[in-house]
Amino acid sequence: MTLRIALVVLVCMALAVAESVLPFLLHLKVARPDLLLAVVLYLALHDDIVEGAALSAVAGYFSDLSSATPAFLYTFLAVLTFVVLRLGGSALKTEGGVQSAVVAFGASLLHGLIAAAVFGFFTGTGIHFAALPMLWSALGTALLAPAVFSILRRLDLNFLHSDVNAGGMR
Amino acid sequence: MGSILKRFREPIFVIALLAIPFFIFFAKAKKGIALSRVDRVLVALMAPIERTLTGAAFGVVDTWHAYLALRGVREENLALRRENLRARTTDQQAAELRLENDRLRHLLDFADKQAPTRLVVARIVAVGASTHSHSLRIARGSEDGIVKGAAVIAPDGIVGTVVQLTGSYADVQLIVSPLSAVPAITQRTRGRSTVKGTGDIGRCKVEYAQRTDDLQDGDMLVTAGGPGFFPQGLRIGRVGNVNRKQSGMFLSAEVVPSVDFARLDEVTVVAAAEAVQQQQQQAADLAPAAAGAVQ
């Protein structure tokens, strides 16, 4: 279990690096995929509450580290997004790639709206909903979310197999 | 008590996870951005990976371009020679103007009160991870004489300011960030205003420009200078959508930044000469000590 947590943290770190480097190399202006949000989405739909919320906070913290925004904004937002998605979890399905993409698109829009509101309100800069960048970012997230889900699913399958081999289930 | 805690363990944990970051964010939201020790360690782990990845990608692109360049090298050489000739002529004219400027300044007994500065070229290694961040990470830090708040510029105009630092890396907040505000002058009319970020990567807005100012679409805004800000006269962007309301003191307008932030590979950081000298002095002080330690 501890190894699984460590591996998810490592995946978060790798995705934080990827989402900082890829838009730069590909000269992306607005269609920046939020890969760490896809992790939060996966955790909200697959993990237990305590572990999922804690790992979501870690994912948000990595976003904070590479965003140059006031400390812990994205940590807070990641846990909040986890809670909201968790509450709506039974209605959300992410079995196939298309389903994952659609859910990620919606989650990214929701996350973007909350982020703009919280950022604008508490930093005193005013609330601006830049609709087009938000849509593009949601599209980028939706395109890459199935890949992130696939990585995390494989990781979990390995743990499931090792647990079954050891004679128990998680 | 223990049974209640056990029963409500999950909601308590989640509420704590929401409350703690929220209160830290709330407390620090208007106080600027600072890295903790843990942040620094993690940035020190992640930034070299980002640097290696971008370096490798640029290496491949450079090799490809070098191969392509060989094919049209003769024509390009000729074009470059002509361009060089033109540049030298312009350079001579600029030198003349500089000398004339010096003479006039001397005549006016004008003392340049601006602090001496040094320009440090820095390679960009990553961009802000989220759509709301509007930041760049550069491969220069406090060890290179860079300080928090240092101005970052590119050949086309201003880029932003350094907001957080480690020894070898710095995060630059772009002028399009809602947290950024730059004092500006209209190049044509010398009217003053402030350029504020909107959060949109291709657009800033003009604030505090007098309604009576003759600001027009297409006007170029340059930095106004002043202590703690960008050096004077650097391009910010072109004005568009000027809107004069019937009432109120100020007009509203947009600014399209001169710099295309998505196309930047390298930037220049304006490091204060004092900081650079201090750092060089520290290095000089440490050198004999290090040599002694080796002996």
Side-chain angles (χ1 to χ4, degrees), chain B residues 43-67:
Chain B
V43 170
L45 276 172
M46 287 161 68
I49 302 170
E50 291 168 347
R51 189 181 183 169
T52 310
L53 286 174
T54 46
F58 279 124
V60 172
V61 172
D62 287 347
T63 310
W64 176 246
H65 283 171
Y67 165 72

Side-chain angles (χ1 to χ4, degrees), chain A residues 13 16-17 19-21 23-25 27-30 32-34 49-50 53-54 57 61-76 79-80 83 111-112 115-116 118-119 122-125 128 130 133-134 137, chain B residues 9-10 13-14 17-18 21-22 24-26 28-30 33 35 38-39 42-43 45-46 49-50 53-54 57-58 124-133 135 137 163-164 171 173 178-179 196 198 201 205 260 262-265:
Chain A
M13 196 172 169
V17 170
E19 73 177 21
S20 301
V21 170
F24 172 53
L25 292 177
H27 300 299
L28 293 179
K29 269 187 182 174
V30 283
R32 294 185 183 175
D34 194 341
I49 290 181
V50 171
Y61 173 68
F62 277 116
S63 267
D64 272 320
L65 265 189
S66 39
S67 294
T69 46
F72 289 99
L73 167 67
Y74 286 103
T75 310
F76 165 69
V79 182
L80 187 65
V83 172
H111 183 263
V118 173
F119 183 83
F122 289 103
T123 56
T125 55
H128 310 278
M134 237 180 254
S137 173
Chain B
R9 186 180 75 103
E10 288 182 350
F13 183 76
V14 173
L17 265 186
L18 274 170
F22 177 76
I24 298 174
F25 166 69
F26 181 69
K28 292 187 172 180
K30 290 182 183 173
I33 301 153
L35 289 174
V38 180
D39 297 341
L42 283 167
V43 170
L45 276 172
M46 287 161 68
I49 302 170
E50 291 168 347
L53 286 174
T54 46
F58 279 124
I124 299 166
V125 294
V127 293
S130 85
T131 33
H132 306 278
S133 66
S135 65
R137 180 164 289 162
V163 285
Q164 54 189 31
D171 284 345
Q173 190 174 70
L179 297 170
K196 194 119 179 30
T198 58
I201 193 80
K205 61 181 176 184
D260 182 355
R263 298 265 162 203
L264 282 175
D265 292 336

